[in-house]
Amino acid sequence: MTNQVNTQSVLTFDGQDDYINFGKNDIGGVFAQGSSAFTISGWVNPHQLTNKATTYGAHNVFFARSSDRYSDNFEFGISEEGNLDVYIDENIDNVIKTFGNGELTIGQWHFFAIVFNGGQLTIYLDDHEYTGSLTGSSLNKATSPITMGATLHNNVYFTGQLANISVWNYPCTQDQIQTHRSSPLVGNEPGLVAYWRLNEGEGTTVQDQSGNTHNGTLYGDPSWNLAQVLFAIAQSSSEGHRPSSSPAEIAEIAQTTEYPIPDNIQQQEQAQTPSQEESKQTMNNTANPKYKILAIDGGGIRGIIPAIILTEIEKRTQKQIFSLFDLIAGSSSGGILALGLTKPRLDLAGSDSPPVAQYSAEELLQIYLEYGAEIFYEPFWEQLLGQLEDIFVQPKYSSEGREEIIKQYFGDSPLENNLKEVFVTSYDIEQRIPIFFTNKLEKQQTKSKKFRKLCLGFTLTDAALATSATPTYFAPYRVSSSHNTNGFYTLVDGGLVANNPANLAILEAQISRQENQQALNMEDILVVSLGTGSLTSVYPYDQVKNWGLLQWTKPLLNMVLDGGSEVVAGELERLFEATNKGHKTSYYRFQPFLKSELEDIDNAKPENLRQLQTLANILIQEKNQEIDELCSILSS
């Protein structure tokens, strides 16, 4: 090999805030979910290498599709030692791979190529070739923008210069890689989907020279500088190793260089022009938008956890929760959240303004943080009598504090006015049937001896007090009605029958469609299920074998509520895994594990509230990518 100097304008990135944004772009499908083959090549000249890395472990990132807000699928950078960091989200391991032996030195131009083929990696750094493998064989879904010169994930910037970056929709051979290295491309080569020479010299836009208009916008203030890029020219002429000595010869060589395309690429190109009959069939099978369900578990004061997650979703989407879902279901404290998130602002009634919910998730969070101690207030003399009095004499708490707070938030607002369909659970202890509150008048069912759906004549306060009347903690909630001979519904906490209402919400949606002679298949449904914490307390056999009513009362209620939530969550996870096999999940369950001291549903002490908030924020950090991905789906 000999080096040929090619003088051209290049972009210099300062490592502070300079980068190119190509938008949320799959680049012709190369970086789409399921893509299993591509090649990226180009020239890089690092001016400084630092040890700052993304959470995936990529340093000095110069090309990426990742961010803090949306889902990611690749980051390419240079380690402090001058090796190539390769992060590819291939659905399974998501681990960083580092290749090289310090070739990417500071202040010099280096050629690189990354070839991904069904999980197999071939890396070219100047004259050296490296191989490796990933566990998965194709890219995961990503909704982050594509950037060059930085990644928006942890704001890791590249200091240096880039030139002649190309993206191909198939794994290039070694001979083709050497052709990339020997001269600039023309832009019309088969399989080339994007080509940025980065030689514009001015302006705020970089042009895609492949003709596919994958143009980028400059951010920060990257500078244009003349640079001498060293192309490696073979000593003897052979296919893939062509000598050149002038721009005209370079163009001629690039035009005449043959790029043999693998059979699978030829098949892909043929598949892009289907017959008329195939086109009609494709049009008829276009996927419908997902039917989006939000289901919120019960858990008393632990409702802090889903309230904080919902607050995060509102912040990331910049939209109110009611506008992101088709159906919102809740039990107990989750039912209160469902009702509050869909309550309309009264001062907009009759105006031409779009509908707005009265409360954000953050405002509803204050029910627990500010008023939890009032809801779960126990007079001092009752505290002295202790658990014995709670079990044998009366409920642990008066309903007055709870009713006062609920009425303060919900007043006499009619259930049927809510902005989005709600499904809130309860149970009638006199008729011994489940009771569901809905804001859909057409769904009201008051005659069945197996269940009831209530709407007309009932308020948000009725539904909220009914769904949260937890036995032993609060008295049942009685609401007047002409539906029953006794003139009342006598209601207790819906968590007793469905503490995790996600499965009932799915059935409700499917039954509604069937009644309208429409189908709603599992693959057409997106479910977001929010827990209030999974219990971890252990009850050893030797400890409990002689327990009686007094000892079992509190643990038994916790087991019923927690066990009901977890069995539904586990079965739905299995169901959606089978339904979405080979595709991205349509089931998102956010549920932390609780230490034993956090399990109580009525502990409104300041320290407990702080710990629940901390636990929710840790969960958000751990599930950051999933939440990004979910918010992208909900916003689309």
Side-chain angles (χ1 to χ4, degrees):
M1 288 284 182
T2 61
N3 290 332
Q4 175 189 314
V5 177
N6 186 65
T7 302
Q8 69 174 74
S9 182
V10 298
L11 266 180
T12 301
F13 302 88
D14 66 3
Q16 301 297 318
D17 59 358
D18 294 348
Y19 67 97
I20 308 169
N21 192 324
F22 297 96
K24 297 178 181 180
N25 191 337
D26 289 335
I27 309 294
V30 169
F31 301 132
Q33 180 181 14
S35 174
S36 60
F38 59 79
T39 301
I40 301 165
S41 69
W43 294 82
V44 58
N45 178 9
H47 290 176
Q48 181 184 13
L49 295 175
T50 72
N51 63 0
K52 183 178 180 180
T54 69
T55 55
Y56 302 127
H59 304 76
N60 305 289
V61 177
F62 59 84
F63 195 38
R65 190 177 194 186
S66 59
S67 67
D68 290 333
R69 181 163 185 175
Y70 302 103
S71 53
D72 317 326
N73 63 11
F74 73 87
E75 291 178 348
F76 305 134
I78 304 174
S79 71
E80 197 174 11
E81 297 74 28
N83 301 316
L84 187 69
D85 285 341
V86 176
Y87 166 76
I88 294 178
D89 183 351
E90 30 68 290
N91 274 305
I92 300 178
D93 278 348
N94 306 335
V95 295
I96 190 83
K97 299 281 187 177
T98 300
F99 299 88
N101 192 27
E103 292 96 328
L104 304 179
T105 52
I106 292 174
Q108 293 181 312
W109 282 101
H110 302 280
F111 175 80
F112 75 91
I114 302 165
V115 182
F116 178 72
N117 186 13
Q120 300 301 309
L121 284 170
T122 305
I123 306 298
Y124 299 87
L125 301 178
D126 293 335
D127 295 328
H128 303 138
E129 178 179 336
Y130 302 91
T131 59
S133 61
L134 303 174
T135 305
S137 60
S138 63
L139 288 183
N140 205 343
K141 181 179 179 180
T143 54
S144 292
I146 290 178
T147 55
M148 193 178 295
T151 171
L152 302 182
H153 173 215
N154 303 136
N155 292 328
V156 174
Y157 292 91
F158 170 73
T159 305
Q161 298 173 322
L162 298 169
N164 304 319
I165 307 297
S166 63
V167 179
W168 307 74
N169 64 8
Y170 68 97
C172 294
T173 65
Q174 185 182 55
D175 283 347
Q176 290 165 350
I177 294 297
Q178 294 305 329
T179 302
H180 303 177
R181 189 183 175 200
S182 67
S183 63
L185 304 171
V186 174
N188 61 358
E189 290 82 355
L192 180 66
V193 294
Y195 179 41
W196 303 286
R197 292 204 63 185
L198 307 178
N199 65 345
E200 283 78 5
E202 60 181 2
T204 59
T205 303
V206 297
Q207 302 292 328
D208 174 11
Q209 303 295 327
S210 73
N212 293 321
T213 66
H214 300 305
N215 303 327
T217 302
L218 302 185
Y219 285 79
D221 190 24
S223 59
W224 302 95
N225 301 100
L226 285 177
Q228 294 181 332
V229 182
L230 299 178
F231 287 95
I233 308 301
Q235 294 285 2
S236 60
S237 178
S238 63
E239 184 179 358
H241 300 266
R242 308 280 185 132
S244 60
S245 57
S246 70
E249 290 173 345
I250 288 172
E252 182 179 355
I253 290 169
Q255 287 175 331
T256 58
T257 300
E258 295 183 1
Y259 285 77
I261 303 175
D263 292 339
N264 65 317
I265 300 299
Q266 294 176 353
Q267 292 170 3
Q268 290 176 13
E269 291 181 350
Q270 293 172 0
Q272 291 174 0
T273 57
S275 66
Q276 186 175 9
E277 182 178 350
E278 289 170 331
S279 296
K280 290 179 180 178
Q281 184 177 2
T282 302
M283 290 172 62
N284 291 336
N285 289 333
T286 300
N288 294 320
K290 295 282 189 182
Y291 184 93
K292 302 179 182 72
I293 295 173
L294 170 64
I296 313 171
D297 290 14
I301 198 69
R302 302 194 325 250
I304 287 172
I305 295 169
I308 289 177
I309 294 171
L310 290 166
T311 299
E312 184 69 18
I313 291 173
E314 285 190 331
K315 286 180 180 178
R316 296 194 189 193
T317 61
Q318 294 296 297
K319 295 181 179 180
Q320 291 190 304
I321 292 296
F322 86 91
S323 68
L324 300 174
F325 293 92
D326 299 293
L327 172 63
I328 300 180
S331 291
S332 195
S333 60
I336 294 174
L337 288 173
L339 294 164
L341 293 166
T342 56
K343 182 182 185 296
R345 263 180 59 180
L346 299 180
D347 57 354
L348 294 178
S351 73
D352 293 330
S353 302
V356 176
Q358 181 168 350
Y359 301 115
S360 66
E362 189 170 20
E363 289 170 324
L364 292 173
L365 174 61
Q366 301 312 309
I367 293 178
Y368 307 99
L369 299 182
E370 289 189 21
Y371 302 111
E374 293 182 38
I375 293 172
F376 298 106
Y377 172 72
E378 187 175 25
F380 179 72
W381 67 271
E382 291 185 8
Q383 295 179 36
L384 292 179
L385 289 175
Q387 192 177 30
L388 190 64
E389 189 234 9
D390 295 337
I391 293 174
F392 294 112
V393 180
Q394 63 184 21
K396 185 173 184 179
Y397 303 106
S398 166
S399 294
E400 290 181 4
R402 184 172 59 102
E403 291 181 5
E404 182 180 339
I405 302 305
I406 293 299
K407 287 179 180 177
Q408 176 182 322
Y409 273 80
F410 295 152
D412 296 322
S413 182
L415 189 55
E416 63 265 27
N417 288 349
N418 272 31
L419 297 171
K420 194 59 63 76
E421 183 174 358
V422 292
F423 185 87
V424 175
T425 65
S426 186
Y427 184 78
D428 191 306
I429 59 174
E430 294 190 18
Q431 299 182 78
R432 302 299 299 270
I433 57 174
I435 305 295
F436 306 122
F437 289 92
T438 176
N439 62 320
K440 294 294 184 181
L441 186 57
E442 66 273 16
K443 291 190 173 184
Q444 181 159 287
Q445 168 58 262
T446 62
K447 303 296 184 183
S448 174
K449 294 183 179 181
K450 296 181 180 179
F451 71 96
R452 299 285 173 86
K453 286 184 185 177
L454 307 182
C455 177
L456 187 62
F458 296 93
T459 66
L460 299 188
T461 295
D462 290 329
L465 291 174
T467 193
S468 60
T470 311
T472 75
Y473 290 90
F474 297 106
Y477 179 69
R478 248 192 167 187
V479 56
S480 300
S481 174
S482 60
H483 303 162
N484 306 321
T485 55
N486 66 353
F488 294 97
Y489 284 104
T490 306
L491 304 172
V492 295
D493 196 323
L496 295 178
V497 292
N499 200 50
N500 178 348
N503 59 334
L504 290 181
I506 293 170
L507 290 172
E508 177 67 16
Q510 291 180 322
I511 291 170
S512 297
R513 288 290 184 93
Q514 288 176 2
E515 289 175 347
N516 293 318
Q517 297 182 336
Q518 296 175 323
L520 183 62
N521 300 317
M522 290 304 298
E523 58 265 25
D524 299 324
I525 298 174
L526 170 75
V527 173
V528 179
S529 178
L530 304 182
T532 59
S534 183
L535 310 190
T536 58
S537 289
V538 176
Y539 298 94
Y541 171 77
D542 288 337
Q543 176 184 331
V544 305
K545 63 182 180 181
N546 295 317
W547 276 10
L549 178 64
L550 180 63
Q551 295 96 334
W552 268 115
T553 300
K554 183 177 177 180
L556 188 60
L557 181 61
N558 284 344
M559 289 178 185
V560 169
L561 298 177
D562 182 62
S565 287
E566 296 306 319
V567 71
V568 170
E571 290 303 290
L572 285 181
E573 184 175 337
R574 292 178 58 206
L575 177 62
F576 276 94
E577 280 180 356
T579 303
N580 300 128
K581 203 165 188 178
H583 302 283
K584 200 63 182 175
T585 184
S586 293
Y587 175 66
Y588 293 85
R589 172 73 170 169
F590 298 106
Q591 169 80 312
F593 288 100
L594 295 175
K595 295 183 292 185
S596 58
E597 60 266 28
L598 298 178
E599 292 182 357
D600 289 344
I601 66 173
D602 62 336
N603 185 353
K605 294 178 181 178
E607 178 58 28
N608 191 64
L609 301 185
R610 283 192 291 269
Q611 289 194 49
L612 289 173
Q613 291 176 79
T614 299
L615 186 64
N617 287 315
I618 290 173
L619 179 64
I620 289 170
Q621 293 175 8
E622 292 175 347
K623 301 292 185 178
N624 182 62
Q625 187 170 345
E626 285 182 49
I627 296 174
D628 268 345
E629 180 181 90
L630 171 62
C631 289
S632 177
I633 296 171
L634 294 175
S635 297
S636 62

